[in-house]
Amino acid sequence: MPPIETSATVAVTKWRAGQTTSTHDQVAEEVPVALEYNGISHAVMLATPNDLEDFALGFSLTEGILAVPSELYSCEISGDLDGIRIELEIASERFFSLKEKRRSLTGRTGCGLCGTETLPQAIRIPPPVVSTAAFSADTLHAAFRQMEQQQLLQQRTGATHAAAWLATDGQVTLVREDVGRHNALDKLIGALRRGGIDTATGAAIVTSRASYEMVQKAASAGIGILAAVSAPTALAVRIADITGLTLAGFVRQQGHAIYTHPQRLMA
């Protein structure tokens, strides 16, 4: 599929200090992306149309559709700004599990945690994290500055979240952007898995709040540290504590708060 632009130029009237001017702005694209597994449609997400192979793999892993990247046999992307289709061919046993899950959703409507019948089903808790990652406070804050410098789409549009990988040497080696914070993290996890990077050795840093889903996705990928520029939720803190993940929030202006397992972030 030919590359799709991630932003568009639009006319805009700006007001400042009582004066109006006519100019142009760059705005981020937001495109429906349909994920199909072995020919069956599973989900349609609104996403920024870049790094879609990373997104497809990361989403499949963090949602429990795949257990390991090798269960994804092929990934074909087609479409345009009206909509993008990602066709994934996955292992037959994983597809069977997905069909069983879809069958449990039939006939139900609603929003949020749809298709669940009990509270234990509603919250999926990943296995405990085993991580050797450890960073100083100075390294963590320097990483957020590095990430900001590499957020090229955010610099153009001011509309996207980012998720970045802080490697063992203290350098930010991967940055993924999207209009959705969950999508950005899925893209990062997909890129890590596609690159064969050991997720036990580094940290994920994000420009958003740290919701339960962000913690769940990070822990399911074996990431030991998740640091966010904004606040966590209480559920996120509880799940981080259970899974052994170090969760930090409010990482800004030379300060941060560590909510769980502080031993990986040194003063």
Side-chain angles (χ1 to χ4, degrees):
M1 185 184 76
I4 295 178
E5 293 296 326
T6 56
S7 63
T9 303
V10 299
V12 60
T13 300
K14 293 188 175 181
W15 181 93
R16 178 171 296 176
Q19 301 294 319
T20 58
T21 56
S22 297
T23 184
H24 291 84
D25 261 359
Q26 288 287 307
V27 294
E29 290 288 0
E30 191 172 22
V31 180
V33 177
L35 294 158
E36 297 182 358
Y37 294 89
N38 294 15
I40 303 298
S41 179
H42 174 69
V44 178
M45 313 288 288
L46 287 170
T48 304
N50 61 349
D51 301 309
L52 291 176
E53 289 188 357
D54 293 339
F55 174 59
L57 178 59
F59 176 87
S60 300
L61 291 168
T62 62
E63 293 299 313
I65 297 169
L66 301 179
V68 293
S70 61
E71 293 173 333
L72 174 59
Y73 298 155
S74 66
C75 179
E76 299 292 333
I77 302 172
S78 61
D80 52 33
L81 282 177
D82 291 329
I84 294 172
R85 176 179 292 105
I86 305 179
E87 299 174 84
L88 300 101
E89 187 71 23
I90 63 175
S92 57
E93 61 269 25
R94 304 306 299 179
F95 182 57
F96 176 79
S97 297
L98 180 61
K99 287 197 297 183
E100 288 299 302
K101 180 180 179 180
R102 285 176 54 83
R103 189 172 292 117
S104 74
L105 296 175
T106 302
R108 296 190 176 97
T109 61
C111 59
L113 297 166
C114 300
T116 59
E117 295 178 336
T118 67
L119 290 176
Q121 289 176 336
I123 305 300
R124 183 161 52 90
I125 299 177
V129 169
V130 178
S131 173
T132 60
F135 297 99
S136 68
D138 287 342
T139 298
L140 179 65
H141 285 266
F144 271 81
R145 292 192 292 271
Q146 289 181 56
M147 176 174 61
E148 184 177 4
Q149 293 167 1
Q150 296 181 49
Q151 291 175 241
L152 302 183
L153 186 56
Q154 168 68 6
Q155 291 169 18
R156 292 204 310 270
T157 67
T160 55
H161 284 293
W165 183 244
L166 172 57
T168 308
D169 62 0
Q171 297 301 305
V172 168
T173 57
L174 284 170
V175 176
R176 292 293 182 266
E177 294 183 88
D178 200 279
V179 289
R181 65 183 188 275
H182 303 123
N183 297 343
L185 185 55
D186 277 334
K187 287 179 178 180
L188 176 67
I189 291 170
L192 291 168
R193 291 304 194 197
R194 291 180 69 206
I197 296 171
D198 185 358
T199 55
T201 62
I205 61 176
V206 297
T207 61
S208 64
R209 65 186 177 91
S211 61
Y212 152 72
E213 296 97 330
M214 302 291 279
V215 168
Q216 184 272 326
K217 288 176 182 292
S220 69
I223 296 170
I225 301 172
L226 176 65
V229 75
S230 193
T233 65
L235 181 57
V237 172
R238 289 193 289 271
I239 300 302
D241 189 41
I242 292 170
T243 58
L245 179 141
T246 298
L247 178 61
F250 296 108
V251 185
R252 58 181 81 162
Q253 298 176 351
Q254 300 303 310
H256 60 264
I258 307 174
Y259 295 87
T260 58
H261 304 281
Q263 70 275 9
R264 297 192 186 97
L265 293 176
M266 302 165 287

